[in-house]
Amino acid sequence: MSDVLTDPRPETAAETATKVVDCDIHPSFRTPTEILDYLPSRWRDHARAFGIRPPNSMTGALAYPRMGGGMRQDAWPPTGGPPASDLEFMRAQHLDPLNIEVGILHCLNPGPSLMDLDFSAAYCAAMNDWQVDRWLSQEPRLRGTIVIPQEDTAAAVAEIEARATDPRFVQVAFVPRGIEPSGRRRYWPIYEAAAKHGLPVAMHTAPYGWRENTGAGNASFYLEEHYAVANPIQSAMTSLIFEGVFERLPNLKLVLVEGGFAWAAPLMWRMDREWARMRDEIPAVRRAPSDYVRRQVWLTTQPVEEPPRNADLKHLIRWLGADRIMFSSDYPHWDFDDPHRAFRIGLKPEEKSAILRDNARAVYGF
Amino acid sequence: MSTLTIDQPKQDLRIAGLGAVDCDVHPRLPMRADLMPYLSDYWQDMFPYRAIDRMELVGYPVGTQPFNRPDCEGGNKDVSALAKAHLDPLDLSGAILNVVSGAQGFYDPYLQAAACEATNRWIAAEWLDRDPRLRASLLVPFRHPEAAVEEIRRYRDDKRFVQVLAMGMGEEPLGRRTFWPIYDAAVENGFSLCVHGGSVFRHAPTQSGWPSSLTEEMVHWSQAAANSVASLLSEGVLTRHPELKVVMAESGVSWLFATIWRLCKEWRGIRLEVPWLKESPEIVIERQIRMTTAPLDAPPGGPEEMAALMACTGSSDQLLFATDFPHDHGGDLGVWPKELPQDWAADVARNNVIATYPRLEL
Amino acid sequence: MGKHVICRLEELPPGSSRRVDIEGREIAVFNDEGRLAALGNRCPHEGAELCHGLIRQFFAAEGAGEYEGTGKRMLRCPWHGWEFDLSTGQSYVDPARVRVRAFDVDVAPGEGLSEGPYKIDVYQIATEEDYVVLTI
Ligand code: FES
């Protein structure tokens, strides 16, 4: 067969020279207790005495344990510590060779989902201080995402206000698996605060949350769960549309992270059709749902879906539009995508630069 | 240009004349009075005593406006009305009746079994016996798999029941081993499995709880369908029964390609977790997963885009014609959906259906 | 084309791997519990360096839950975990379309090595030691 793949296509000189914006990098603590250094003593004592309690079923293992511990096996820093805990190694392995001009950090952390709301606020503030201290103040290419105690709306807004003037933070993180659907009224002040400051809201897929991971209950396998982690960002986008959030806040930008993007086209078709026949139920939604998506929603690419026939990806790009998607690597996780090899079709040069860099520059104003 | 070229004739194609089988038709919900003759003496006492009557699911609310075409008022109240409103004008050679009711919504496993069994008897006596074109899905109690198996065996020789009906959002993910006896019995007797949109509200329809509107909730039915495919695949149900066809009814069509593309990627990296899954997901799905055509959630752009969509999904052999009568998806019921290539009509309306249901004798 | 002496055997102890660059190629050389193997270093999927991969046996299952070790040695890519047959380079998940190149690799005693046809770039050959020899 002529299309037997033996070696990956070597990168071209143009590729190596292309500057990339990476919309999803996951920095890590050097040790599990590193966060304690950033907490006030009251909460440090609390954490030591009572633990850190999000609605996950266990600590010390994941309920859906991941292959290879969920990490790229080559991402362990030679100096010790977990992947992406060492800035020097992150530079050498990721930022430099991939020519990343801006890398946006997403701190996957339990802070926004802690059951104790006061601890949630303290933990989120500590995460933001940690981002500044360990990363943003050390490496000008990195940008931060404001972590907020989202289930306590007033505290979440206060945290946004406290960080919004620091230009190193470029967006607000909202965990799409909250206690209520993301578009419900309790969360509106958060979106208003983000929109007021021109900060996009980034929703990153969340493997753990308050409820089952499918509408029929919890799946059995990591394979299914890793499929279903893309669902909450779909539900969050749907919720923001049908609750009228985008209608109310036309300047709000929503960035959906680490859920791939193939689902977005058929979801737009489905939402438009249901809206057309059911719109009397939801008068606050004045436009076809896909209009809001095309105006206010962007998707990051990773994990890029893999069609059985690579060429079919072209249909998807046509249906969705190359202007909606922004490259993300998910470094240092196992399902990492390489900017020049994850799209296994010949993108047009302008599509490629839009996806790898220009869309993100425009969304974030870099 | 990457789209396929389809020469769609200008004039409409009528359904009448295709010998079509409509794979998703909804008779009215049976009331208590309908079911009483088919209940045991215990349940004949309990149904009125415990005020069990209409059994309409809030997660499949047939009383709401979009579930009723204004031009089909009363068209599903009994066999002759259905014939007049639907079977005759479309000249259908068959129609599969799906009762999506609260029969599967009770928590009491024995009550769930009683409600399912009585509904099946009612469907057989009041509908199937009265029009030879009618077929039906068998309701079985997923909360009581042994009783479900018995019910399937009971209908072994009544080939008018062609499939077992499961809710898209039911007790547990459909692949769970708890349900395997149901699938084993179904396959042993040639039944297909229908996974129908809707929820019995055992779990919130989304991972962050309950949407405010029915509109938003119904958008999620295709997500539930995708999760059901992932479950049946990962747990090994599909590969344990490679001859089993699973029909995703009233859940849309266009979501499946994205599901396949992601599942393929997942399987390549995570197959070690489920080494019993030896084929790439797209192979299993193309072989075994079917979808009904109402609603379609078609891409804008007409039949050419639909052809591209199904090429991304697998093939048009995965589509089964359905109207979802009497539910309102707009358009003229008697006309081939304008989004679907007319070239596909013979297969989608009939041949694919025959290939999907071993028990279907036309 | 030719045979290349790439290192002393003791520099590639059981359970270790190394990357070598020869004739413009990157090659991953493994010592899998005493058996040597060599594959192209770049994963055909997205280009991960296979020298960082894990070698384990291939697990199969007849039915759900019936895990069975087959003894067949597979390399797991360090990124997305695709499995490659260590001896042939064939991919399990897409055998018709995806494979990495496999190379012959052997142990040779130092005695006689310096006489050729071997290409020895970096090493002073000591006759009393064993060497890893790669054929390209
Ligand atoms: S790069 Fe090797 S499996 Fe993806």
Side-chain angles (χ1 to χ4, degrees):
Chain A
M1 257 176 100
S2 60
D3 60 344
V4 172
L5 265 171
T6 47
D7 294 303
R9 183 180 54 79
E11 284 179 13
T12 63
E15 281 172 354
T16 331
T18 308
K19 288 211 188 303
V20 170
V21 176
D22 182 352
C23 293
D24 190 24
I25 295 177
H26 296 296
S28 170
F29 298 141
R30 278 181 286 235
T31 67
T33 55
E34 189 173 319
I35 190 68
L36 298 183
D37 299 340
Y38 295 83
L39 282 167
S41 61
R42 182 248 183 275
W43 290 110
R44 200 179 309 145
D45 294 345
H46 177 99
R48 290 206 175 105
F50 302 104
I52 294 169
R53 304 186 68 236
N56 297 350
S57 65
M58 60 181 122
T59 56
L62 297 175
Y64 296 100
R66 297 173 188 167
M67 304 290 132
M71 296 297 167
R72 260 176 65 162
Q73 299 302 298
D74 59 351
W76 297 84
T79 47
S85 65
D86 179 323
L87 175 58
E88 210 36 65
F89 189 60
M90 183 193 285
R91 286 185 183 124
Q93 182 170 53
H94 188 59
L95 302 178
D96 297 344
L98 269 53
N99 211 0
I100 290 173
E101 66 174 20
V102 176
I104 304 178
L105 303 180
H106 276 272
C107 304
L108 299 183
N109 77 101
S113 313
L114 294 183
M115 292 184 274
D116 180 322
L117 292 184
D118 291 326
F119 193 16
S120 173
Y123 195 106
C124 292
M127 281 307 301
N128 292 328
D129 288 340
W130 175 83
Q131 280 187 83
V132 172
D133 184 47
R134 286 278 323 277
W135 306 92
L136 307 181
S137 62
Q138 312 287 324
E139 170 52 67
R141 283 172 290 183
L142 296 178
R143 298 291 194 286
T145 301
I146 303 170
V147 178
I148 56 167
Q150 64 189 51
E151 305 304 344
D152 179 345
T153 308
V157 170
E159 189 63 25
I160 294 172
E161 294 297 338
R163 308 285 171 181
T165 48
D166 182 342
R168 294 170 297 185
F169 285 104
V170 296
Q171 60 187 0
V172 174
F174 187 96
V175 179
R177 285 181 83 176
I179 287 178
E180 289 184 41
S182 306
R184 298 266 287 194
R185 210 156 290 184
R186 61 184 290 166
Y187 302 122
W188 288 5
I190 294 173
Y191 304 128
E192 283 160 9
K196 182 182 91 186
H197 290 289
L199 293 167
V201 169
M203 297 200 186
H204 188 287
T205 52
Y208 297 97
W210 307 83
R211 297 188 186 268
E212 297 93 321
N213 54 23
T214 86
N218 280 311
S220 296
F221 300 102
Y222 176 53
L223 190 147
E224 297 168 84
E225 188 252 355
H226 195 256
Y227 177 79
V229 291
N231 291 352
I233 57 172
Q234 301 166 17
S235 302
M237 179 178 92
T238 309
S239 181
L240 262 65
I241 291 169
F242 286 103
E243 297 280 355
V245 176
F246 290 125
E247 181 62 39
R248 284 169 50 85
L249 299 172
N251 298 324
L252 178 69
K253 295 177 178 176
L254 177 67
V255 178
L256 301 174
V257 187
E258 204 179 334
F261 53 95
W263 50 268
L267 184 55
M268 282 196 277
W269 307 332
R270 182 169 179 85
M271 287 192 297
D272 283 359
R273 187 188 51 73
E274 289 294 354
W275 172 78
R277 73 172 183 147
M278 310 262 288
R279 55 186 295 191
D280 288 350
E281 191 196 15
I282 37 167
V285 188
R286 302 229 177 84
R287 300 154 166 267
S290 63
D291 285 358
Y292 298 109
V293 178
R294 299 208 177 280
R295 190 175 74 186
Q296 291 174 261
V297 181
W298 289 264
L299 301 118
T300 65
T301 51
Q302 180 274 339
V304 175
E305 282 89 349
E306 288 178 7
R309 279 191 313 260
N310 291 328
D312 286 341
L313 209 48
K314 285 190 182 145
H315 294 300
L316 176 61
I317 305 267
R318 185 178 72 248
W319 291 327
L320 192 56
D323 59 332
R324 290 296 101 196
I325 53 184
M326 310 191 289
F327 172 74
S328 60
S329 75
D330 196 35
Y331 180 86
H333 292 166
W334 75 273
D335 41 351
F336 167 89
D337 272 331
D338 178 280
H340 303 296
R341 296 204 178 94
F343 289 88
R344 304 165 80 191
I345 49 168
L347 291 170
K348 297 188 197 111
E350 63 275 18
E351 287 172 340
K352 189 157 182 184
S353 56
I355 294 168
L356 290 186
R357 186 191 59 216
D358 299 343
N359 293 341
R361 279 183 179 173
V363 168
Y364 293 101
F366 294 145
Chain B
M1 191 59 206
S2 47
T3 41
L4 312 173
T5 308
I6 301 275
D7 276 328
Q8 187 86 326
K10 285 277 175 292
Q11 66 276 37
D12 287 340
L13 175 67
R14 309 296 305 175
I15 304 291
L18 293 175
V21 179
D22 187 338
C23 292
D24 190 25
V25 171
H26 297 282
R28 73 176 170 85
L29 292 187
M31 308 287 281
R32 174 171 71 224
D34 297 308
L35 299 184
M36 283 297 271
Y38 308 107
L39 291 165
S40 70
D41 55 356
Y42 174 76
W43 292 113
Q44 281 179 344
D45 182 339
M46 289 300 116
F47 267 52
Y49 186 58
R50 297 174 72 180
I52 300 165
D53 194 1
R54 183 169 153 78
M55 299 181 285
E56 177 181 342
L57 292 170
V58 176
Y60 192 80
V62 297
T64 50
Q65 175 254 316
F67 284 80
N68 298 284
R69 293 182 74 99
D71 53 339
C72 296
E73 188 69 36
N76 67 344
K77 75 175 192 305
D78 59 27
V79 170
S80 57
L82 182 66
K84 191 152 156 274
H86 193 55
L87 308 180
D88 296 342
L90 271 62
D91 185 26
L92 296 174
S93 51
I96 301 175
L97 303 178
N98 286 324
V99 180
V100 181
S101 76
Q104 291 179 329
F106 294 112
Y107 288 99
D108 174 341
Y110 311 105
L111 171 53
Q112 197 183 90
C116 288
E117 289 165 22
T119 305
N120 293 332
R121 313 247 177 314
W122 174 73
I123 280 283
E126 306 289 327
W127 297 81
L128 306 184
D129 285 354
R130 297 179 184 192
D131 193 310
R133 290 169 291 187
L134 296 179
R135 302 291 183 279
S137 293
L138 193 70
L139 291 188
V140 300
F142 276 75
R143 260 180 111 75
H144 189 345
E146 289 143 277
V149 168
E150 272 175 45
E151 185 70 354
I152 290 168
R153 298 216 169 112
R154 222 171 267 135
Y155 282 89
R156 178 195 317 252
D157 299 322
D158 187 347
K159 297 259 173 81
R160 298 172 305 177
F161 288 90
V162 296
Q163 63 187 354
V164 167
L165 187 111
M167 294 299 293
M169 287 177 269
E171 298 290 336
E172 285 191 78
L174 280 173
R176 295 296 309 277
R177 213 164 171 122
T178 328
F179 303 138
W180 284 18
I182 301 177
Y183 307 134
D184 290 354
V187 169
E188 190 184 301
N189 295 291
F191 286 85
S192 305
L193 175 66
C194 175
V195 180
H196 197 287
S199 176
V200 289
F201 280 7
R202 296 296 189 260
H203 316 274
T206 85
Q207 295 187 32
S208 45
W210 305 83
S212 306
S213 64
L214 178 62
T215 315
E216 189 182 332
E217 186 177 314
M218 289 176 72
V219 165
H220 282 87
W221 289 3
S222 50
Q223 192 182 90
N227 292 138
S228 295
V229 170
S231 175
L232 290 163
L233 180 83
S234 313
E235 300 258 8
V237 172
L238 296 177
T239 40
R240 176 180 171 87
H241 297 298
E243 67 277 52
L244 175 66
K245 298 283 192 291
V246 180
V247 179
M248 314 307 295
E250 205 180 330
S251 302
V253 162
S254 54
W255 52 275
L256 184 58
F257 85 90
T259 300
I260 293 170
W261 291 8
R262 183 157 172 127
L263 285 174
C264 283
K265 180 153 179 160
E266 307 285 13
W267 177 76
R268 290 167 183 173
I270 314 179
R271 76 101 218 153
L272 252 174
E273 185 192 33
V274 288
W276 46 90
L277 189 52
K278 301 184 190 90
E279 298 160 293
S280 188
E282 85 275 11
I283 297 169
V284 181
I285 289 171
E286 186 173 349
R287 182 176 66 217
Q288 293 176 259
I289 300 294
R290 302 290 176 264
M291 296 175 288
T292 64
T293 57
L296 270 174
D297 302 329
E304 291 192 359
E305 289 291 23
M306 196 67 212
L309 175 77
M310 291 316 293
C312 288
T313 309
S315 84
S316 57
D317 292 348
Q318 287 162 282
L319 296 180
L320 308 181
F321 171 71
T323 61
D324 193 27
F325 182 89
H327 304 165
D328 190 5
H329 298 288
D332 179 346
L333 269 184
V335 169
W336 186 249
K338 62 181 183 332
E339 301 90 344
L340 288 172
Q342 292 186 6
D343 287 357
W344 294 358
D347 284 337
V348 172
R350 191 179 167 96
N351 299 337
N352 295 353
V353 181
I354 293 169
T356 298
Y357 295 110
R359 292 171 64 88
L360 179 64
E361 293 164 352
L362 288 178
Chain C
M1 278 293 288
K3 289 175 181 290
H4 297 258
V5 177
I6 58 169
C7 63
R8 293 198 304 278
L9 182 58
E10 69 178 26
E11 293 175 295
L12 189 69
S16 73
S17 61
R18 62 162 53 206
R19 164 185 161 169
V20 293
D21 292 51
I22 297 174
E23 294 184 3
R25 286 177 181 286
E26 280 178 38
I27 296 169
V29 186
F30 306 90
N31 183 336
D32 175 31
E33 298 175 355
R35 286 180 306 263
L36 299 187
L39 298 174
N41 187 44
R42 291 287 171 173
C43 179
H45 179 223
E46 285 197 39
E49 292 198 55
L50 293 177
C51 63
H52 299 296
L54 263 186
I55 298 168
R56 292 286 186 275
Q57 65 173 320
F58 183 79
F59 286 97
E62 239 344 274
E66 298 164 7
Y67 314 96
E68 215 181 317
T70 63
K72 180 171 174 165
R73 304 302 286 176
M74 304 293 277
L75 178 79
R76 292 180 198 156
C77 175
W79 286 2
H80 312 103
W82 289 20
E83 293 163 278
F84 297 92
D85 186 322
L86 188 61
S87 52
T88 65
Q90 189 167 57
S91 128
Y92 174 73
V93 294
D94 198 355
R97 290 188 301 178
V98 177
R99 63 163 65 234
V100 284
R101 230 176 285 276
F103 298 91
D104 283 337
V105 60
D106 280 307
V107 178
E111 197 168 0
L113 269 189
S114 39
E115 287 146 29
Y118 304 99
K119 296 183 182 160
I120 305 161
D121 306 327
V122 229
Y123 288 90
Q124 289 287 7
I125 299 296
T127 48
E128 65 277 13
E129 295 207 66
D130 287 337
Y131 290 83
V132 178
V133 176
L134 185 70
T135 309
I136 302 196

